[in-house]
Amino acid sequence: MSTYKVTVNKTSTFDLTDEDISKVNAEEISDHQYHLLQNSKSYHTEVALSDFNNKKYAVKVNNNTYQVSIANALDMQIAAMGFSIGSSKQVNAIKAPMPGLLLDIHVKVDQEVKEDDPLLILEAMKMENVILSPRDGIIKSITASKGDAVDKGQLLIEFA
């Protein structure tokens, strides 16, 4: 059974399972609109904006808009490994969040990158994980090569 951590407006967090989601009484009205019934109350909902890659959504519920982010088991595991601890603006190095195979490197030394630019692709647990830049910066060094097997915590990229 999958578990998801749902954060609303960066202030409220809920843990939901597949079972919880299957119990929601929802009727699809159109591609992005739903009618929900919860505790005898009716809710009109609409997915107003979706950023599927970053798992962030703007959801309207009875004309109130909420910013929602969803973390799956892998996202939570990466956070638990310390990959996303602290302010992303202070990150000066990218380390492998888990053991895996480096499938591709999208950057070069001295290249300028923006926050959320893809840096590399790490295959781990039979899944391809795109590692994004945590901040704007310049690539100082790349310590691994495409095709390398990497260990958890191994230095991959340093920022200048």
Side-chain angles (χ1 to χ4, degrees):
M1 180 180 334
S2 297
T3 301
Y4 306 91
K5 188 169 288 293
V6 179
T7 305
V8 180
N9 291 341
K10 297 183 181 179
T11 57
S12 302
T13 303
F14 306 92
D15 290 324
L16 299 175
T17 65
D18 289 334
E19 184 179 345
D20 296 328
I21 295 167
S22 72
K23 291 179 181 176
V24 173
N25 186 353
E27 180 77 29
E28 186 174 7
I29 297 170
S30 70
D31 279 347
H32 301 288
Q33 295 183 346
Y34 301 85
H35 180 263
L36 277 81
L37 193 58
Q38 178 75 27
N39 298 330
S40 301
K41 282 189 171 183
S42 177
Y43 299 94
H44 175 76
T45 63
E46 177 182 355
V47 180
L49 189 72
S50 67
D51 181 353
F52 181 77
N53 290 334
N54 292 310
K55 301 174 187 167
K56 295 184 181 196
Y57 306 88
V59 179
K60 279 184 167 180
V61 180
N62 293 345
N63 293 320
N64 294 314
T65 302
Y66 301 92
Q67 302 304 315
V68 178
S69 63
I70 301 170
N72 63 18
L74 180 61
D75 299 324
M76 290 184 279
Q77 184 180 20
I78 289 171
M81 291 179 187
F83 188 67
S84 60
I85 289 177
S87 172
S88 63
K89 306 300 180 213
Q90 298 173 358
V91 174
N92 290 318
I94 301 296
K95 296 181 180 179
M98 63 191 77
L101 180 67
L102 198 51
L103 294 182
D104 201 2
I105 300 174
H106 295 290
V107 293
K108 295 181 172 97
V109 173
D110 294 327
Q111 180 177 334
E112 186 175 332
V113 295
K114 298 287 184 196
E115 184 174 352
D116 294 330
D117 281 353
L119 300 176
L120 52 91
I121 299 175
L122 180 67
E123 182 183 56
M125 302 184 306
K126 298 182 182 179
M127 292 180 62
E128 291 185 9
N129 303 285
V130 178
I131 307 298
L132 303 176
S133 178
R135 65 177 179 92
D136 293 354
I138 297 174
I139 304 299
K140 177 181 174 182
S141 68
I142 302 171
T143 60
S145 301
K146 182 178 175 179
D148 284 359
V150 297
D151 294 321
K152 176 186 170 194
Q154 180 177 333
L155 179 64
L156 301 174
I157 293 176
E158 286 183 298
F159 288 93

